Amino acid sequence: YTLDGTRPDSTSEKYTTPFFLHQSATINVIAQKQGWLTSEPNSQTIARTRYPVQKITLSTPPDDQYKADGPSSLVDFKKGTTSFSEGAWLGFQNKHQTINLNMGQLIDISAVSISALEATGSYIFFPKEVNVSISKEGKKYLPVASKPIPQADTPAPPSLKNFIINFDTQKGQY
């Protein structure tokens, strides 16, 4: 496995015992067995959360089919599955969405993590882009990061991904 973003190979760290992550990371893995072909790489992004969100608001309500438990579903630490019909996802159709997170106090912020589902056969896609702005008082926002997200151009099985947007540490409450 690797934790530095590189593709694992036969010289990479071999998994022998559980390990701890002290910060957000993407774990890239392969499986190998003597006399067998090496597996295709697989990856999982693990996001570390330092502060609980005190209040969350959305600029537009989610679609009625995908409203989960409302805005708090975005920060309740419950993961949706690839089965979007279980009701754990918030979904938005043909709308840009602004999500405002009030942290309750000024904190150091250096990353935002977003989990998303893509199920192309059901016309569910990852967001096209994520833009992050920070504010100390909730009125004047400073753009700090933007991340375009590749869009599927062919049908694919449903998949879950965490997108981590890193930026220089900023003080903010919103």
Side-chain angles (χ1 to χ4, degrees):
Y1 68 91
T2 62
L3 297 172
D4 62 2
T6 60
R7 182 182 176 125
D9 60 26
S10 61
T11 64
S12 300
E13 185 78 24
K14 183 177 178 181
Y15 177 83
T16 55
T17 61
F19 57 92
F20 293 95
L21 296 174
H22 301 286
Q23 62 187 22
S24 297
T26 298
I27 304 168
N28 295 298
V29 300
I30 57 171
Q32 293 183 309
K33 182 176 179 178
Q34 190 170 7
W36 292 60
L37 294 174
T38 299
S39 74
E40 288 296 315
N42 200 340
S43 67
Q44 180 67 47
T45 300
I46 308 296
R48 177 178 181 237
T49 302
R50 295 182 193 181
Y51 307 103
V53 174
Q54 299 301 310
K55 183 178 179 186
I56 182 169
T57 57
L58 306 175
S59 61
T60 57
D63 186 88
D64 282 340
Q65 289 181 316
Y66 311 108
K67 59 185 176 184
D69 289 328
S72 65
S73 300
L74 296 175
V75 294
D76 65 3
F77 299 106
K78 297 177 186 172
K79 295 293 282 182
T81 68
T82 55
S83 178
F84 61 88
S85 61
E86 289 179 356
W89 289 99
L90 287 188
F92 307 92
Q93 294 189 40
N94 301 316
K95 300 175 193 171
H96 289 282
Q97 182 60 248
T98 299
I99 301 167
N100 189 303
L101 306 175
N102 181 341
M103 305 309 293
Q105 63 181 330
L106 277 177
I107 59 171
D108 289 332
I109 306 170
S110 60
V112 171
S113 173
I114 295 176
S115 295
L117 167 67
E118 183 174 69
T120 57
S122 298
Y123 299 99
I124 297 171
F125 300 93
F126 293 137
K128 291 181 181 178
E129 184 174 32
V130 176
N131 298 297
V132 179
S133 297
I134 293 179
S135 174
K136 292 180 179 178
E137 77 296 321
K139 294 178 182 167
K140 182 180 174 187
Y141 286 81
L142 173 68
V144 294
S146 181
K147 181 174 187 146
I149 298 175
Q151 298 295 290
D153 53 4
T154 58
S159 66
L160 301 172
K161 281 194 182 171
N162 283 343
F163 299 99
I164 298 177
I165 301 94
N166 293 299
F167 44 88
D168 292 336
T169 301
Q170 307 282 323
K171 284 270 189 208
Q173 179 174 331
Y174 301 87

